[in-house]
Amino acid sequence: MATSALLLAAAGYNWAQNQLDVSFHAFQDSRGVTVLSPDANFTKDFTDRTSVKLKFGVDAISAASDSCARCHSDGATNGRFVGSANITRKYGDTKVTGGAEFSRELFYQATTVLASVSRDLHNANTTVAGGFAFSLNQPQLHPGPTVESQQSYDAYASVTQSWTKRTVTQVGYEINQVNGYQTNPFLRTTLNGVMTVGNSPEARTRHALSARLRQALPAETFFEADYRRYHDTWSVDSNAFSLGLSHHFGPRIVGGGSWRHYAQSGAYFYQPEYTGSPTYFTGDFRLFPFDSNSVTGRFEITPKAGLLMMPAGSTLALQYERYRATTGFEAGIFTGGVRIPLK
Amino acid sequence: MSMKVRALAGVLVLGILTTACATVKPWQRGTLADSCMVFDADSATAYMTHWQEAREGSMGGFGVQGGGCGCK
């Protein structure tokens, strides 16, 4: 049930710059779901060795999807807020981060604590990083009052390597163990001719292996390639890869585009419909076999004199993504944001 | 030891053994510092990852995770 938000990339990241990043995301799909999501990220160096990052976001969800429309003919609305705080401290070539995240919405609550460490080696040409997170997730079995519990343990390790002054790669591995209630209480399937809420196993171990490349090409152009191989104990296997190009149109404008292909198998207990008395059965579309493709375009401009009333160095970023799956699902996602450097 | 574990161990060992070959000097890292070359997720990328994981059966591979949402 839990779909996880990326909280902190444990892979080696650049030392913080004081900045405020404010974004507005708009999502609309072919099921009639609209999500409007403003968020803000604030990063500040408090000393030359200590940095703090705060995040606050809101999702305003208007859902007319099949699962909601079954009981709410006019659709349903939901709101979610998420807040997180991370503190990073440098010890020579080593950075240590600790943090927490809390999110709450109708019928779901998640509380996460995390720790990560990264170390630069070989004159910072190599960065080895690792992290661990624990989440307590509490779904409510709407429309009833029962609140279930789910524990998620997540560990990650990566190696980032600069090969030349124009080539950098990263290899990462993540393992995630989820225990507890994992059935989606909203999505139903046909069991002996009757639409029924599913029943999923209460343990799931997930493995993800990733490889990423960033290559600078001639004429201020950059190539990116990402690949992820995924497997879990519910027999969901997937491959995801993306290719992209970015180009600097002068010193203040960056444009780019990317394409992503994704393919997954279904869970071992997935069937279009069920008969008899199966132990596990599901109507969760995330456990169906399908492929998808998405294309993304993005544009950034950093005006010399500043952006509107913002200081020089502020950047306006715009991005649009179009997603289409073989299940017939389609979505369009727009993001507009500004990055404001702070003193 | 399963095939997958051996493959993973091989990738990591190969990565570690080959890292010492790199000779990029600090003053040569200008291009590597370009925003198009870093792996950090900006807000738009983080949101894209978030909603993809709300639609797809797999997740992860790029960092530790939060508890997420009850997205349907």
Side-chain angles (χ1 to χ4, degrees), chain A residues 3-315:
Chain A
T3 53
S4 296
L6 202 72
L7 182 61
L8 174 75
Y13 51 90
N14 295 332
W15 186 237
Q17 298 174 333
N18 293 338
Q19 72 176 33
L20 177 64
D21 186 342
V22 179
S23 296
F24 176 81
H25 313 279
F27 170 99
Q28 187 162 46
D29 71 26
S30 53
R31 302 184 309 161
V33 175
T34 301
V35 185
L36 303 177
S37 307
D39 65 41
N41 290 277
F42 173 70
T43 307
K44 182 169 178 57
D45 294 342
F46 278 92
T47 71
D48 59 348
R49 296 201 308 168
T50 305
S51 171
V52 171
K53 184 171 186 178
L54 305 174
K55 177 182 177 181
F56 181 77
V58 174
D59 288 342
I61 305 165
S62 170
S65 61
D66 295 344
S67 55
C68 294
R70 188 171 294 111
C71 303
H72 307 280
S73 57
D74 295 329
T77 58
N78 194 357
R80 170 179 180 258
F81 79 87
V82 56
S84 68
N86 295 305
I87 182 166
T88 299
R89 180 125 173 118
K90 283 202 297 189
Y91 300 93
D93 292 331
T94 301
K95 301 184 191 84
V96 179
T97 297
E101 181 186 83
F102 179 76
S103 72
R104 183 172 177 80
E105 62 191 284
L106 286 175
F107 320 127
Y108 194 85
Q109 177 175 302
T111 308
T112 301
V113 292
L114 70 86
S116 68
V117 60
S118 70
R119 182 171 176 79
D120 292 335
L121 305 169
H122 306 131
N123 294 319
N125 286 308
T126 306
T127 301
V128 180
F132 176 80
F134 170 75
S135 296
L136 174 63
N137 306 323
Q138 296 170 289
Q140 180 183 337
L141 305 190
H142 176 71
T146 304
V147 175
E148 291 285 355
S149 176
Q150 181 189 99
Q151 301 83 40
S152 172
Y153 305 86
D154 195 71
Y156 175 75
S158 72
V159 178
T160 304
Q161 177 65 40
S162 301
W163 296 99
T164 73
K165 57 186 179 182
R166 304 178 70 84
T167 307
V168 60
T169 61
Q170 185 179 85
V171 177
Y173 171 72
E174 182 175 354
I175 183 168
N176 175 241
Q177 175 69 42
V178 185
N179 298 325
Y181 185 87
Q182 296 181 62
T183 299
N184 187 309
F186 300 92
L187 300 176
R188 303 177 187 216
T189 188
T190 304
L191 175 62
N192 298 318
V194 178
M195 293 300 286
T196 307
V197 171
N199 183 40
S200 297
E202 294 205 342
R204 188 179 191 183
T205 306
R206 318 174 89 163
H207 306 270
L209 180 64
S210 65
R212 302 201 277 184
L213 165 71
R214 298 290 180 273
Q215 175 69 51
L217 303 173
E220 294 292 316
T221 301
F222 300 85
F223 172 73
E224 61 183 65
D226 292 357
Y227 172 74
R228 183 186 67 190
R229 170 70 181 165
Y230 171 93
H231 171 77
D232 69 30
T233 51
W234 291 4
S235 292
V236 175
D237 286 277
S238 77
N239 292 289
F241 65 89
S242 63
L243 303 172
L245 282 176
S246 300
H247 180 71
H248 285 277
F249 297 92
R252 303 192 177 279
I253 297 176
V254 182
S258 62
W259 167 71
R260 176 179 183 266
H261 177 74
Y262 174 82
Q264 75 169 52
S265 64
Y268 72 86
F269 51 91
Y270 162 74
Q271 293 178 32
E273 57 184 54
Y274 298 82
T275 56
S277 303
T279 304
Y280 301 120
F281 49 100
T282 183
D284 189 338
F285 50 79
R286 283 166 291 205
L287 302 178
F288 299 178
F290 70 92
D291 295 2
S292 71
N293 288 284
S294 60
V295 291
T296 303
R298 56 183 176 271
F299 173 82
E300 287 188 10
I301 183 168
T302 308
K304 185 175 183 180
L307 193 64
L308 299 177
M309 301 185 65
M310 299 169 209
S314 298
T315 298

Side-chain angles (χ1 to χ4, degrees), chain A residues 4 31 174 210 248 262 323, chain B residues 19 34 53 56-58 61 72:
Chain A
S4 296
R31 302 184 309 161
E174 182 175 354
S210 65
H248 285 277
Y262 174 82
Y323 182 95
Chain B
T19 54
D34 190 286
E53 291 180 350
E56 298 171 349
S58 56
K72 305 300 174 296

